[in-house]
Every structure is written in C-alpha cells, then in structure tokens.
Amino acid sequence: MNLSKSRYCVGIRCQKELWLSCYKEEVAKELDNDVIIENGNKVGEFARGLFGNYILIENNDNKEKMIQETKKYLAKKPNIICEASFSYLNNFCSVDILKNDEDGVEIYEVKSSTQKNEIYIDDLSYQTWILKKLGLNVKKSYLVYVNNKYIKKGEVDRDSFFKIEEITPRPMEEIEENIKKLEMTINNSQEPDIDLSVNCKNNKKVSYDCPYFQYCTRNLPTPNIFDVGWKTTFTKKLEFYYQNKISYSDILSEGGINPKANLQMSSELNNLGPKIDKDSIKSFLSTLTYPLYFLDFESYQVAIPEIDGTHPYQQICFQYSLHYYLEENKELYHKEFLSDDYNGNPMRGLCKKLCEDIPMNSCVIVYNQSFEITRLKEMAALFPEYRTHLLNIASNIKDLYPIFRDQEYYVKEMGGSSSIKEVLPALFPNDPSLDYHNLNQVHKGDEASEAFLSLRTKSREEQEELRHNMLKYCELDTYATVKILQKLNTIK
Ligand code: SF4
C-alpha cells in the first residue's frame, strides 16, 4: 500500500485511524461533510488564478499519467502548474499550486479554512520532502487560506480573499522517520493497539472529529464518560478515562465532575424525575408580553461570498417561520417566508417581510438568541432602510434556551444536551407532530441550507416539493418553541 499526502496527515494524527481507513473503512461514522467538500473544491479552483495563467494537471485515476504530464511542463519553466503530481518511493502528492521558476520551485497548499491548523504544516512538509527527494530546489513553501475579514465589493478579489503565509517545513529527518513508521502501519495486517488521545477530537492540531471514535469506544460501558455533556471538555473526559473512571457510578463515587454533569449522571443512574426551578421559570414567564412572536431563521454559508457587503462563510438568511399569539391564551397564528431569489440576495426580501410581520416593540421568543440577534444585526448593517426595525426586533428577543442550558428545567432524557433537538423529544416523547423524523427531505438546519442552495438548479416541480418540505421543517422549529412555552406555563 502507498502513502499519499492525505494518508500521511491522517497517520500523523493517529496511526490507528490510518490503519482503519485502509482495512476497516466500513466501521467509520458517515461524515456529513458534502458542504465542506464543495466549499473546499470551489476555494481550490478559485485559488488557481492567484498568479495569473496556469497549467492544470487533470485529476486522473492513472497517477503515472499525471506524473508524466507534470514532468513535461516542469521542463518548460517558468510557469505555474496546478495539481503538479510527483512520486518518490511509493509516496505520491499533487501540489495545489507549483510556482516553477528558473532557479527552483515554490509550493502553495490551499485550504478553505479561515484558520491555520498544525496539520497543514505536516501536509506541506510531506510535499516538500517528496519534491526535495526528487532533486527539486524547493525555495519556499506557503499556506494559502481564507481571509475571514474580506468583505465582497463587486467581483471577488483573489489577492484580498486569500491569506498567504510562508511555512517552515518540519525537519527532513523527522518526515522521513514518520514515513517509515506509517509505511509499516499500512503494510501490517494487524490493527495497531493505540489508546484514545486528544487527537480523537477536533483541536488546534487536527481539524475534524475522528470518524472511528464510536468504533474505538465500542467496548466501554454504556453510558460512559464520553456521553457526559455540560461543559465537560474532551481533555477533562480523557483525564477520567485514563484514571479508569469511566462508568457514571465510578465517576460519581469519586466526587463527580461539575454540578450539571453530576445531575445528568445521577438522573440517568437513579432514574430521577424532572428537576424544575419553579421560581426562575416563573420569573422568566413574567417578562413576556403580548402580542407574542416565536421566530426562527434558516441560513446558509458559502466560502466565496456571492453578495456585496458579506464576508466568507457569513450566514445568509433565506427563510423564517413565525408563530404568534395576539393575546394570551387565544388563537395561535402562523406566517412564514422562503425566498425565491436563489441567485441574488435573499436577505432583502426576508427583511422587508419580517418588518411587515413583526410590529415594532413586540416580544419575540427564540431558542438560543445569539444566532438570531447576530443575524438581525448583520442584516441591519446591510439594509439601512430596515435598520431601526431589525434592531428593535433584536432588542426585544426573549430566549428559552438558558432555562434548559442552566438546568432550571432538566429531565434525564435530555442527557448531556440542551439543544432544542434533544429538549423537544425529552419533553414530548410520544408526540409524532413534534418528531423531526416524520418530516420529508429536510430534518435539520444543514439540510435546509443545502436544500436552498440546490433550488437554483432544480426543475419547477422539484422546487415546489422541496420548498414545501423546507417550510414544514422551519415551521416545526417555531412550533417546538410554542409547545415548550406551553409546557413551562403549566408549571404551578
Ligand atoms: S478514535 Fe482516536 S484512537 Fe481511535 S482511530 Fe480515531 S484518533 Fe485513533
């Protein structure tokens, strides 16, 4: 088996992950990363024009063909070669952008991320090692990533959109040692015996959660330390794990973790009933006024901004659902908005309708206010004509989330989470009208984002069906907050 730059980086993070990806890929958790991949591809393609005209080595299953093509163009310096491909002793890499000068080459590795990550240095180091071994003079190595401060004005300007940073590759001997070690791993049929570490989860060194975590923890008791929520960091969980305090009873008998995590564990262990802080909840309820609105936005993010005034990965709102009572204990009404401006700026129509639908100084309930308030402020900055009204809505928001985040209301079915997707079934276990699984096509926020972006290319019939399902999804989000409030109102 051969190494490549992606396999090398996986192996640097964890040799067991590398081995599993070669021999037991089927036990990996399926990653929901289509949007990340699509953004990555678009950023990669966009970066190719950074230094003017370029030659592209087309991706091909026949790596040898890519290598031969590269050789042909390497001889015709100076030029810029994208996806320049090289192999040295069973090590293969394609360089995103190769500046092929008279006196040597420069390597540019392109990432769609807005932050530098340690593993990117390993990525560049591996490529540098291969090229040096092939006798090329690698003058410099660079990381190209997205500048999240960039604001689009007219055509996207590559030079301002990207940040380019020179990287010092790791020492050649270190890379060589790593390669030897990883080659032994992938050519051994025996699964490596490697314990869990900080690298199992996203951190400064690695950029994603390992898809084999479930597999690697399959023999632990259920539930265990890794099921605990409530601000218990992964590093903290590992401390308990290494001390063999893994089951809830072991952890609690040793003094527990923190009061909230302890409540989660003792509730599950001892089958405790709900914990309800009546005074705090009643005090929150007394701040609500009528007419009372329940609001939820849906949004999407793209790496390369399409709308003037927005930055990379800015959340672009395209839809909302709004339930409302004009008077307490009276009829519940519903309004909604889903933009049909698929290629323009969906936020303009959304702001106009939102300002019509929510009168100034109305009380507006959301679940986790930081998202809605930030979006309202961003849109207020983009549309001066709606600024006062949008900021007024933002300033009148009341948030249900802290009641559950602070465990003023806790039921054991919430487990380690206060997200609405956990709270709702915990509070209403047998209500099919509140079950997201019963929806069609769109069941969660990222599916709604993908759905909206896909509307651009769908036929009218497909659009109609998908739009209907998107509306149903968003409607359930606000209906959920209505039901939660109704439940809180029953507290005597
Ligand atoms: S879960 Fe951790 S130990 Fe298991 S393969 Fe992944 S990184 Fe390695």
Side-chain angles (χ1 to χ4, degrees), residues 88 128-136 176:
Y88 177 76
T128 307
W129 181 85
I130 293 181
L131 269 62
K132 281 193 170 176
K133 285 290 178 186
L134 289 169
L136 276 89
E176 196 137 342

Side-chain angles (χ1 to χ4, degrees), residues 176-399:
E176 196 137 342
E177 275 306 304
N178 288 337
I179 290 173
K180 272 192 209 147
K181 213 166 53 186
L182 300 182
E183 279 177 342
M184 276 167 63
T185 304
I186 56 174
N187 289 311
N188 188 344
S189 58
Q190 191 72 29
E191 181 175 323
D193 183 15
I194 291 175
D195 203 356
L196 303 176
S197 76
V198 282
N199 281 353
C200 300
K201 295 281 170 187
N202 186 358
N203 62 38
K204 279 199 184 113
K205 187 163 162 51
V206 295
S207 53
Y208 60 95
D209 290 344
C210 178
Y212 297 98
F213 189 74
Q214 230 165 351
Y215 172 79
C216 290
T217 53
R218 69 195 181 286
N219 295 325
L220 299 184
T222 324
N224 62 58
I225 178 67
F226 297 108
D227 298 308
V228 177
W230 311 105
K231 297 208 168 147
T232 314
T233 62
F234 188 66
T235 314
K236 187 87 194 157
K237 292 178 188 185
L238 279 178
E239 271 174 35
F240 279 83
Y241 170 77
Y242 292 142
Q243 292 166 21
N244 212 21
K245 297 176 200 163
I246 296 172
S247 72
Y248 284 3
S249 53
D250 286 348
I251 301 164
L252 285 171
S253 64
E254 296 283 339
I257 303 173
N258 64 49
K260 286 183 186 151
N262 296 351
L263 177 66
Q264 178 198 347
M265 291 184 284
S266 56
S267 295
E268 286 184 46
L269 207 54
N270 305 315
N271 203 17
L272 300 182
K275 176 218 159 218
I276 301 172
D277 179 347
K278 293 182 183 176
D279 290 343
S280 300
I281 294 170
K282 281 183 185 165
S283 155
F284 168 81
L285 294 174
S286 71
T287 65
L288 304 181
T289 55
Y290 289 75
L292 182 61
Y293 292 81
F294 300 78
L295 175 66
D296 183 68
F297 288 135
E298 298 303 330
S299 65
Y300 70 84
Q301 294 174 285
V302 285
I304 304 172
E306 297 170 337
I307 300 169
D308 276 359
T310 64
H311 59 77
Y313 296 108
Q314 181 164 331
Q315 299 276 1
I316 308 296
C317 293
F318 56 83
Q319 178 178 11
Y320 67 78
S321 169
L322 190 69
H323 277 92
Y324 61 103
Y325 292 109
L326 291 176
E327 291 174 79
E328 193 168 1
N329 299 326
K330 291 282 166 53
E331 197 174 339
L332 178 68
Y333 299 95
H334 181 246
K335 288 185 177 175
E336 60 196 355
F337 173 85
L338 172 53
S339 175
D340 57 7
D341 191 358
Y342 308 133
N343 296 302
N345 186 347
M347 293 183 288
R348 183 178 295 282
L350 181 142
C351 288
K352 180 174 184 293
K353 181 81 170 22
L354 189 68
C355 293
E356 287 164 11
D357 285 349
I358 303 182
M360 294 272 271
N361 303 319
S362 303
C363 190
V364 180
I365 287 190
V366 299
Y367 198 92
N368 205 350
Q369 65 178 18
S370 61
F371 181 80
E372 269 76 17
I373 290 181
T374 311
R375 301 293 81 78
L376 285 163
K377 287 183 177 170
E378 284 167 353
M379 292 190 287
L382 280 173
F383 305 110
E385 64 273 40
Y386 304 120
R387 182 184 152 80
T388 308
H389 202 129
L390 293 174
L391 293 181
N392 181 274
I393 295 172
S395 67
N396 285 295
I397 278 182
K398 303 280 181 188
D399 193 359

Side-chain angles (χ1 to χ4, degrees), residues 409-437:
Y409 197 119
Y410 184 75
V411 286
K412 66 177 186 307
E413 289 76 12
M414 282 163 56
S417 172
S418 47
S419 128
I420 195 164
K421 299 287 188 291
E422 307 299 329
V423 169
L424 194 62
L427 263 49
F428 304 95
N430 298 314
D431 188 339
S433 72
L434 293 173
D435 189 342
Y436 285 87
H437 297 101

Side-chain angles (χ1 to χ4, degrees), residues 451-466:
F452 184 74
L453 291 170
S454 76
L455 284 170
R456 301 173 180 186
T457 53
K458 295 220 178 293
S459 69
R460 183 169 284 275
E461 292 75 37
E462 288 171 331
Q463 280 181 353
E464 268 172 28
E465 186 188 357
L466 189 50

